[in-house]
Amino acid sequence: MSEPSLTEVACFSENFLLVRPGEDEGTPVPSHETLREMRLLLLEEGHCFRDQALSFCNMQSPPREVLDASSLSTLVQMVGAGIGVTLIPEMAVTVETRSAPVSVARFKNPQPSRTIGMVWRKTSPLAAQLQQISEVVCIAADALRDQRRPKPPPRKLRSV
């Protein structure tokens, strides 16, 4: 626990995916070292996701070839226009890439990821309710992850 006066509950983890122009579909996924050399599109300063993307690329500060945007939608549209590449959280892929001519790719393991959770003051008068809410969020995240897992093909039953 990072701060003794806070309650932290980790609910789930999600991967970051690479979004690149559609014509890059099927090409090898760059390593995080190679990604540092590409024109990386990031959210504006102050967004935690920006810091997480920079951390994956082992950059303390962005190179000059980084362009900023205020939303994931803008980043994806910029990628679709051929301006660069970006990282987005897996939970945003379906919505943010539905109308852009982009390709989405997974990085090799270990994949960049983040943990999503809830944090509140231990002295909060709503601590019990916040704990209950966090449990519901964690259960819902587990159920959603189970739904997305590939299902094995049905087994054929033999007649006797």
Side-chain angles (χ1 to χ4, degrees):
M1 187 134 340
S2 59
E3 175 59 46
S5 65
L6 299 176
T7 297
E8 298 178 12
V9 177
C11 293
F12 63 96
S13 292
E14 70 169 336
N15 292 328
F16 301 155
L17 302 178
L18 176 66
V19 179
R20 52 192 175 167
E23 58 267 14
D24 289 353
E25 181 78 37
T27 61
V29 177
S31 66
H32 67 273
E33 293 90 5
T34 305
L35 197 58
R36 287 195 314 234
E37 299 165 10
M38 300 172 83
R39 178 177 278 165
L40 188 59
L41 309 175
L42 297 171
L43 290 174
E44 296 171 326
E45 281 192 48
H47 289 272
C48 64
F49 188 70
R50 173 191 177 93
D51 298 336
Q52 294 162 343
L54 289 172
S55 175
F56 171 66
C57 297
N58 290 327
M59 293 186 232
Q60 272 59 29
S61 62
R64 287 184 299 219
E65 280 295 305
V66 168
L67 294 175
D68 297 339
S70 60
S71 71
L72 291 175
S73 295
T74 303
L75 290 175
V76 171
Q77 293 302 318
M78 290 168 69
V79 170
I83 297 172
V85 300
T86 194
L87 304 177
I88 65 172
E90 192 166 7
M91 72 169 70
V93 168
T94 303
V95 171
E96 300 299 348
T97 63
R98 68 178 173 235
S99 63
V102 297
S103 71
V104 178
R106 290 189 179 279
F107 290 96
K108 292 180 182 175
N109 288 329
Q111 294 183 47
S113 65
R114 66 179 179 176
T115 300
I116 305 295
M118 293 179 57
V119 179
W120 61 89
R121 288 185 330 274
K122 288 184 177 180
T123 58
S124 170
L126 299 175
Q129 290 87 349
L130 292 167
Q131 182 66 45
Q132 290 175 330
I133 291 169
S134 72
E135 291 168 7
V136 170
V137 170
C138 292
I139 290 168
D142 285 344
L144 186 59
R145 185 178 57 245
D146 290 345
Q147 280 181 345
R148 291 182 176 165
R149 240 183 228 133
K151 305 276 189 268
R155 294 178 17 182
K156 293 183 181 181
L157 299 176
R158 290 188 330 192
S159 300
V160 187

